[in-house]
């Protein structure tokens, strides 16, 4: 069987995957949240108060955390619906950092040392049940009416409006829905570590989640999952010192973005070929081909042949 | 012309300005049910702008748009689509990351209702709607002779095919009025005559077509009526034959060629 | 009153570093339409170059600043070539992530090379405090403020008065048109990165000397504040970034003086939130261009 060490890492990867799926849902309408970890942390703090401070049952903390985040995220998305792209990124960043400040300074939430103790109720099984349900949701969502509407809003909001899609409402729905997944992840996170701290909410954590999603592939929920697992497990298996590991990690992200700006995995449209080779093998091969000298030469020759 | 029926679309002294430029200057138009109405005019005359205001993409700066006698001037673009006006774009705007089938299915959005719960729990409403949407899209593609290209990404298709996918996508929203912005642009003669047949066929299904077109042969062949726009003003309106010989139209076209 | 004056002096000094970073963000965004997440790491690299020159080569402050400026400019231009140019046209998110990758690379690389602990300067660089009528300030604070002000005025004059400055403004306004009018856009891009990186490097050296600490992760907080400064000042506005940086510095210092130092790092984001909700174009920005 797997060791306790790996069980812990896999549980954490599962929790992060749920948050990353949420971030994918936000990105699915072309939005950019640089404060996703803040919504996750908000869920974590809310649930920590419910179980740790008030001693109420664990399941209630899910209800409270998700409900709170739904309200806050909807209000936030509504107020900032005018902000696009870069401005939205900065807006979400400001929200996150402001929340960090609040958590630091309100003694009830434990200040700098974080909210603790929180009962350790998150198990491997629970995480993977919730992750499984989330994946099931995204599988159903991808080709659904709303899933397609999300994609259309991302690609071209004028076309979306001409298709009868209420662009503003869809963007708010996407933001709220994604934040709700963050809240779920936050509850699991807080009850896994037994503590939640202000730094769990900050921009660096949000950026990490963004990197997971962008690295794995922006076009599909499988990308968010793939990116999260590769980037959480890779540093664990790489036998380098910690700083070497993360230096390589940084370089890997740059190389991936340069050669595959939409991330590793791409999307499978209705009726196109599928399978692990099409989904994982080909993209990886393409990155390798782009990086290795042999592949570069081949790509150049191909480009030359395709030129009219 | 059916004079007893009410007009499908009425454009009433519609005005649109972009900064100092008057793109539309008190334009009046009436379009009757089941007709093919063409809008022609030199480049930059304001034709596309008229579509954009009618479809709710741009706000009006004066004047009204009535659809089935209801004022839709200030309705949102997505509401207007739901009311039954669908459009295509002059510069083809298919969603590049969706294949042909998905693009056409997108058109059914305003005719479907399933929400997140329907989708997550795979409730009957969602399953039925998705099946119907797919059937409808496949059927449209089949009538357009494109059933075999459903899995193609739009950018891999020739121009003529892309235009047809856009028309199919517009039709998927079951509109009463179809706005087509230069559908024949970039088409070869064979594709052009196919388009002509297609438009007549669409009209047969009871739809009204409002078309912006540059190709005079197409315009003269299919239109019931034609209006001419020049510098944002309507300079003529009438049957195709009347328009062909209209002195102001000839002047506008020759004048624009000389510039 | 004395506290107030003292905090304003402290604030202006810290604020000039925020301004210099904010100016870099705004210049790069103006030309490339990209947030360069790695820009604060250029500030950190500059600080380490200065620190190395002082520590290993016994250089004085001026030499350290000049050396840091040259080295950081090269790093800045390289970042654009490697991580921004190839992904610029792709998606809004892609350059954001690729520069974040560079940022991680540089932070962790610096932690690897110089250890993750803050590095002190040799005693020769120790700051000397002066006391004028009860006001405390150090030589470094005076130097920082003077250098910061000189750079900002110089930059403003350069952009407004010189031919190259006009090329930068033309490119920021409309890249295609500028290139049609004979502006060599690649040169402008490189020049912009050199200027932005130089400003960051100077700020890096001054900050690290003033606080006697050169740190692999020093770019993080300063970077976030630099980004906030860019938006608060109005994206693309040089005067805006200058003013917003100084305002932020003073606001932080007054918060420390009158409220509590634990609120210091949050002030930037509270100001930012208000600006985004009330006036997203920033204090000095024009209304967003319509597309
Ligand atoms: N979104 C816009 N902003 C500013 N000017 C526009 C816009 N859309 C169109 N125009 C201007 O309005 C005029 C009419 O354009 P358009 O309606 O596209 O002409 P047509 O379709 O007849 O060729 C042109 O001068 C064009 O430059
Ligand atoms: Mg047009």
């Amino acid at each position: 069987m797997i060791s306790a060490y790996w069980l812990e890492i896999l549980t954490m990867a599962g929790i992060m995957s749920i948050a990353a799926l949420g971030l994918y849902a936000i990105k699915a309408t072309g939005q950019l949240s640089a404060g996703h970890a803040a919504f996750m942390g908000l869920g974590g703090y809310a649930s920590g108060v419910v179980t740790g401070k008030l001693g109420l049952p664990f399941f209630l903390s899910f209800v409270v955390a998700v409900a709170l985040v739904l309200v806050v995220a909807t209000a936030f998305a509504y107020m900032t619906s005018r902000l696009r792209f870069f401005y939205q990124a900065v807006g979400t960043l400001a929200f996150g950092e402001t929340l960090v400040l609040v958590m630091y300074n309100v003694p009830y939430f434990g200040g700098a040392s974080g909210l603790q103790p929180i009962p350790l109720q998150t198990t491997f099984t629970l995480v993977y049940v919730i992750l499984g349900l989330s994946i099931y949701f995204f599988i159903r969502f991808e080709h659904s009416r709303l899933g397609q509407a999300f994609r259309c809003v991302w690609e071209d909001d004028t076309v979306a409006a001409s298709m009868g899609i209420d662009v503003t409402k869809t963007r708010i729905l996407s933001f709220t829905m994604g934040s709700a997944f963050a809240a779920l992840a936050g509850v699991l996170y807080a009850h896994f570590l037994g503590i939640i701290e202000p730094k769990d909410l900050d921009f660096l954590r949000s950026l990490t989640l963004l990197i997971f999603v962008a690295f794995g592939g922006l076009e599909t929920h499988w990308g968010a999952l793939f990116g999260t697992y590769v980037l959480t497990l890779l540093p664990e298996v790489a036998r380098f010192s910690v700083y070497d590991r993360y230096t390589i990690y940084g370089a890997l992200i740059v190389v991936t973005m340069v050669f595959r700006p939409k991330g590793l995995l791409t999307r499978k449209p209705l009726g196109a070929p599928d399978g692990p080779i099409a989904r994982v093998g080909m993209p990886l091969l393409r990155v390798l081909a782009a990086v290795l000298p042999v592949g570069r030469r081949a790509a150049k020759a191909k480009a030359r042949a395709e030129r009219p | 012309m059916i004079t007893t029926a009410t007009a499908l679309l009425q454009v009433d002294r519609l005005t649109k300005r972009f900064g100092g430029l008057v793109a539309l200057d008190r334009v009046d138009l009436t379009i009757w049910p089941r007709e093919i109405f063409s809008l022609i005019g030199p480049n930059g005359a304001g034709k596309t702008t008229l579509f954009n205001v009618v479809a709710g993409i741009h706000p009006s700066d004066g004047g009204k748009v009535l659809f089935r006698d209801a004022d839709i001037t200030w309705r949102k673009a997505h509401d207007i689509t739901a009311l039954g006006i669908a459009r295509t774009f002059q510069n083809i705007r298919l969603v590049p990351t969706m294949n042909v089938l998905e693009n056409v299915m997108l058109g059914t959005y305003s005719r479907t209702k399933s929400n997140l719960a329907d989708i997550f729990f795979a409730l009957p409403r969602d399953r039925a709607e998705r099946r119907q949407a797919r059937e409808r899209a496949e059927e449209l593609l089949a009538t357009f002779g494109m059933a075999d290209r459903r899995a193609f990404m739009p950018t891999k298709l020739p121009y003529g095919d892309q235009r047809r996918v856009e028309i199919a996508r517009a039709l998927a929203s079951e509109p009463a009025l179809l706005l087509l912005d230069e559908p024949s642009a970039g088409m070869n003669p064979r594709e052009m005559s196919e388009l002509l047949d297609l438009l007549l066929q669409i009209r047969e299904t009871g739809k009204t077509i409002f078309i912006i077109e540059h190709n005079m042969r197409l315009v003269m062949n299919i239109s019931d009526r034609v209006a001419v726009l020049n510098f944002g003003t309507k300079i003529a309106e009438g049957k195709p034959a009347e328009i062909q010989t209209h002195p102001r139209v000839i002047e506008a076209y020759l004048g624009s060629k000389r510039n | 009153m004395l506290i107030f004056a003292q905090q304003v002096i402290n604030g202006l000094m810290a604020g000039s570093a925020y301004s210099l970073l904010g100016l870099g963000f705004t210049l790069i965004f103006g030309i490339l339409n990209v947030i360069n997440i790695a820009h604060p790491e250029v500030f950190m690299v500059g600080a380490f170059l200065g620190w190395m020159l002082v520590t290993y080569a016994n250089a004085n402050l001026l030499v350290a600043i000049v050396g840091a400026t040259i080295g950081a400019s090269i790093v800045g231009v390289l970042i654009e070539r490697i991580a921004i140019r190839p992904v610029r046209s792709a998606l809004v998110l892609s350059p954001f992530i690729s520069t974040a990758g560079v940022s991680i690379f540089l932070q962790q690389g610096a932690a690897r090379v110089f250890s993750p602990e803050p590095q002190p300067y040799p005693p020769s660089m120790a700051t000397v405090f002066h006391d004028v009528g009860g006001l405390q300030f150090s030589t470094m604070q005076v130097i920082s403020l003077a250098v910061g002000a000189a750079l900002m005025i110089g930059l403003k004059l350069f952009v407004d008065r010189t031919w190259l400055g006009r090329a930068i403004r033309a490119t920021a306004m409309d890249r295609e048109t500028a290139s049609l009018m004979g502006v060599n856009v690649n040169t402008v891009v490189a020049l912009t990165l050199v200027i932005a990186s130089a400003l960051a490097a100077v700020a890096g050296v001054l900050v690290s000397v003033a606080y006697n600490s050169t740190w692999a992760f020093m770019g993080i907080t300063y970077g976030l504040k630099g980004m906030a400064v860019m938006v608060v000042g109005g994206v693309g506005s040089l005067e805006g970034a200058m003013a917003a940086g100084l305002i932020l510095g003073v606001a932080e210092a007054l918060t420390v003086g009158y409220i509590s130092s634990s609120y210091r790092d949050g002030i930037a984001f509270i100001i930012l939130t208000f600006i985004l909700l009330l006036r997203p174009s920033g204090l000095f920005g024009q209304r967003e261009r319509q597309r």
Side-chain angles (χ1 to χ4, degrees):
Chain A
M1 276 309 290
I2 34 180
S3 67
Y5 172 73
W6 277 102
L7 206 64
E8 218 165 85
I9 286 168
L10 286 175
T11 310
M12 197 43 112
I15 294 173
M16 286 302 168
S17 299
I18 296 168
L21 282 174
L23 192 52
Y24 165 75
I26 293 174
K27 199 251 57 191
T29 48
Q31 300 186 85
L32 194 50
S33 174
H36 200 58
F39 285 99
M40 179 173 168
L42 188 61
Y45 268 100
S47 67
V49 168
V50 170
T51 53
K53 291 262 178 193
L54 308 177
L56 295 170
F58 187 36
F59 82 89
L60 249 182
S61 71
F62 280 96
V63 179
V64 171
V66 172
L68 177 72
V69 169
L70 280 178
V71 171
V72 174
T74 311
F76 180 82
Y78 185 79
M79 285 197 295
T80 59
S81 63
R82 277 191 312 158
L83 306 179
R84 293 285 146 95
F85 307 120
F86 158 74
Y87 284 93
Q88 189 179 31
V90 178
T92 45
L93 188 158
F95 172 81
E97 295 298 315
T98 307
L99 207 59
V100 169
L101 182 75
V102 172
M103 296 312 176
Y104 257 118
N105 288 293
V106 177
Y108 184 77
F109 297 128
S113 49
L115 182 64
Q116 58 177 324
I118 299 171
L120 298 171
Q121 305 229 20
T122 298
T123 61
F124 179 85
T125 322
L126 180 66
V127 168
Y128 278 83
V129 167
I130 293 181
L131 178 60
L133 284 172
S134 307
I135 294 173
Y136 170 76
F137 171 80
F138 278 96
I139 291 174
R140 289 213 41 86
F141 188 73
E142 179 174 14
H143 293 293
S144 74
R145 167 179 186 264
L146 288 173
Q148 300 288 61
F150 274 31
R151 183 170 302 280
C152 186
V153 169
W154 174 21
E155 293 285 351
D156 190 333
D157 50 10
T158 305
V159 166
S162 306
M163 295 295 114
I165 298 164
D166 185 339
V167 173
T168 309
K169 239 168 139 182
T170 306
R171 288 168 60 98
I172 292 174
L173 174 68
S174 140
F175 194 90
T176 308
M177 187 174 125
S179 302
F181 280 97
L184 279 180
V187 177
L188 293 170
Y189 182 86
H191 290 81
F192 180 62
L193 295 180
I195 175 173
I196 183 135
E197 298 167 86
K199 73 170 170 50
D200 293 328
L201 282 64
D202 71 6
F203 172 65
L204 286 190
R205 191 57 73 84
S206 296
L207 190 60
T208 309
L209 288 167
L210 271 172
I211 289 174
F212 289 168
V213 175
F215 176 85
L218 288 167
E219 289 196 334
T220 150
H221 51 272
W222 298 116
L225 283 176
F226 184 69
T228 307
Y229 276 91
V230 170
L231 293 182
T232 35
L233 299 186
L234 208 62
E236 300 297 333
V237 294
R239 295 180 184 281
F240 303 111
S241 81
V242 58
Y243 296 108
D244 282 344
R245 251 187 259 170
Y246 283 97
T247 313
I248 295 168
Y249 178 102
L252 181 69
I253 288 156
V254 180
V255 169
T256 310
M257 283 296 110
V258 167
F259 292 106
R260 273 183 86 79
K262 289 186 174 186
L264 288 176
L265 298 197
T266 44
R267 187 180 93 89
K268 181 195 92 79
L270 273 179
D274 197 9
I277 296 183
R279 287 287 184 95
V280 185
M282 292 310 289
L284 277 175
L285 268 180
R286 257 178 256 142
V287 168
L288 284 179
V291 181
L292 299 176
V294 192
R296 287 179 95 143
R297 232 174 291 133
K300 265 191 204 137
K302 190 168 163 235
R304 230 175 287 126
E306 277 177 2
R307 213 170 292 150
Chain B
M1 207 194 311
I2 319 151
T3 42
T4 48
T6 54
L8 186 66
L9 185 80
Q10 275 173 284
V11 172
D12 183 18
R13 281 169 294 153
L14 197 64
T15 300
K16 178 73 204 172
R17 293 186 205 93
F18 293 113
L21 177 95
V22 184
L24 293 175
D25 187 8
R26 286 161 291 164
V27 176
D28 291 312
L29 289 174
T30 305
I31 295 173
W32 301 97
R34 303 201 55 172
E35 75 174 335
I36 297 185
F37 188 99
S38 295
L39 184 62
I40 63 173
N43 271 326
K47 306 181 296 298
T48 302
T49 304
L50 179 74
F51 270 18
N52 282 333
V53 178
V54 169
I57 304 286
H58 290 328
S60 146
D61 292 324
K64 279 191 292 193
V65 181
L66 304 180
F67 181 63
R68 289 176 168 147
D69 290 338
D71 190 345
I72 59 163
T73 320
W74 297 105
R75 299 297 291 270
K76 295 265 177 59
H78 54 91
D79 289 333
I80 292 174
T81 308
L83 287 174
I85 300 181
R87 70 171 300 186
T88 65
F89 295 87
Q90 180 175 352
N91 48 336
I92 306 173
R93 286 169 94 160
L94 292 164
V95 179
T97 55
M98 290 184 183
N99 67 16
V100 167
L101 179 65
E102 289 170 324
N103 265 288
V104 178
M105 283 172 74
L106 208 48
T108 65
Y109 183 89
S110 58
R111 300 288 161 245
T112 48
K113 295 200 165 50
S114 42
N115 56 29
L116 281 179
D118 296 316
I119 292 164
F120 182 66
F121 296 110
L123 296 183
R125 172 157 83 175
D126 178 53
R127 279 189 297 177
E129 274 182 5
R130 278 328 263 174
R131 200 187 55 242
Q132 282 158 12
R134 185 159 180 166
E135 278 166 7
R136 173 92 185 110
E138 305 240 11
E139 196 183 291
L140 279 167
L141 286 172
T143 27
F144 284 37
M146 299 203 38
D148 54 334
R149 267 152 284 179
R150 68 162 87 79
F152 277 58
M153 296 317 266
T155 47
K156 302 262 151 106
L157 291 176
Y159 233 52
D161 284 358
Q162 293 188 28
R163 293 237 178 247
R164 280 190 292 181
V165 176
E166 255 209 354
I167 299 175
R169 183 176 73 180
L171 284 175
S173 70
E174 298 167 27
L177 176 65
L178 188 60
L179 309 180
L180 303 175
D181 198 345
E182 301 198 18
S184 80
M187 284 188 172
N188 62 37
R190 193 179 52 79
E191 288 173 329
M192 196 99 73
S193 72
E194 283 174 6
L195 176 69
L196 196 146
D197 291 339
L198 190 65
L199 294 180
L200 294 173
Q201 206 181 323
I202 293 169
R203 197 245 300 260
E204 284 313 302
T205 62
K207 303 207 182 296
T208 308
I209 300 177
F210 183 6
I211 180 172
I212 295 174
E213 190 43 69
H214 267 313
N215 185 283
M216 281 307 146
R217 211 171 56 85
L218 190 75
V219 170
M220 295 307 152
N221 267 322
I222 59 164
S223 315
D224 297 309
R225 288 187 306 138
V226 181
V228 188
L229 215 55
N230 193 26
F231 293 115
T233 332
K234 187 174 80 173
I235 57 169
E237 185 180 331
K239 296 224 155 37
E242 296 164 14
I243 292 299
Q244 254 171 323
T245 54
H246 198 294
R248 290 194 63 186
V249 178
I250 295 168
E251 189 197 313
Y253 270 87
L254 292 180
S256 79
K257 278 211 183 98
R258 223 179 289 139
N259 290 347
Chain C
M1 196 57 216
L2 204 59
I3 300 185
F4 183 80
Q6 179 73 60
Q7 292 305 334
V8 169
I9 288 175
N10 294 350
L12 287 175
M13 187 238 144
S16 67
Y18 301 151
S19 291
L20 292 177
L21 270 172
L23 281 169
F25 272 117
T26 245
L27 279 167
I28 295 174
F29 192 86
I31 297 293
L32 297 173
N33 227 342
V34 156
I35 319 185
N36 182 0
I37 299 278
H39 186 60
E41 268 53 64
V42 174
F43 160 89
M44 179 272 289
V45 167
F48 267 109
L49 290 172
W51 176 83
M52 284 199 296
L53 284 170
V54 171
T55 310
Y56 299 122
N58 271 323
N60 62 24
L61 186 65
L62 184 65
V63 175
I65 287 179
V66 171
T69 304
I70 295 170
S73 300
I74 296 171
V75 174
V77 172
L78 280 178
I79 292 175
E80 193 272 332
R81 287 292 163 105
I82 294 171
I84 299 180
R85 191 170 300 183
V87 289
R88 216 174 67 83
S89 57
L91 298 162
V92 187
L93 188 53
S94 311
F96 195 87
I97 300 298
S98 67
T99 53
V102 172
S103 167
I104 294 175
F105 177 84
L106 290 174
Q107 278 170 20
Q108 302 289 339
R112 165 93 173 68
V113 176
F114 301 105
S115 103
E117 299 303 321
Q119 301 298 309
Y121 272 92
S124 63
M125 294 295 279
T127 45
V128 187
F129 275 91
H130 307 275
D131 191 318
V132 177
L135 285 181
Q136 297 266 325
F137 55 88
S138 69
T139 317
M140 263 323 288
Q141 281 181 316
V142 178
I143 294 176
S144 296
L145 209 52
V147 171
L151 283 176
M152 288 187 233
I153 294 167
L155 176 68
K156 185 70 191 142
L157 288 176
F158 173 76
V159 170
D160 283 351
R161 300 281 169 83
T162 65
W163 183 83
L164 277 170
R166 244 177 297 147
I168 292 183
R169 277 184 296 152
T171 310
M173 222 176 287
D174 185 337
R175 207 180 162 97
E176 264 85 72
T177 312
S179 114
L180 284 177
M181 292 186 339
V183 174
N184 184 340
V185 173
N186 284 338
T187 314
V188 168
V189 168
L191 179 66
T192 305
L193 274 132
V194 166
I195 296 174
S197 307
L199 297 178
V202 174
V205 176
L206 292 178
V207 162
S208 64
V209 174
Y211 294 111
N212 192 19
S213 137
T214 313
W215 192 34
F217 302 100
M218 67 192 281
I220 297 174
T221 13
Y222 277 90
L224 284 175
K225 288 176 188 171
M227 248 188 272
V229 161
M230 158 167 76
V231 178
V232 171
V235 175
S237 161
L238 300 183
E239 300 90 333
M242 296 174 195
L246 296 176
I247 291 172
L248 175 60
V250 172
E252 282 187 349
L254 291 178
T255 309
V256 172
Y258 289 101
I259 307 174
S260 148
S261 63
S262 60
Y263 286 97
R264 193 186 113 160
D265 286 340
I267 291 301
F269 303 104
I270 292 171
I271 298 177
L272 183 57
T273 307
F274 277 107
I275 286 286
L276 283 173
L277 290 178
L278 302 177
R279 196 182 153 82
S281 53
L283 292 178
F284 286 68
Q286 288 105 12
R287 286 222 334 208
E288 222 180 321
R289 257 174 290 149
Q290 294 241 314
R291 263 177 56 89

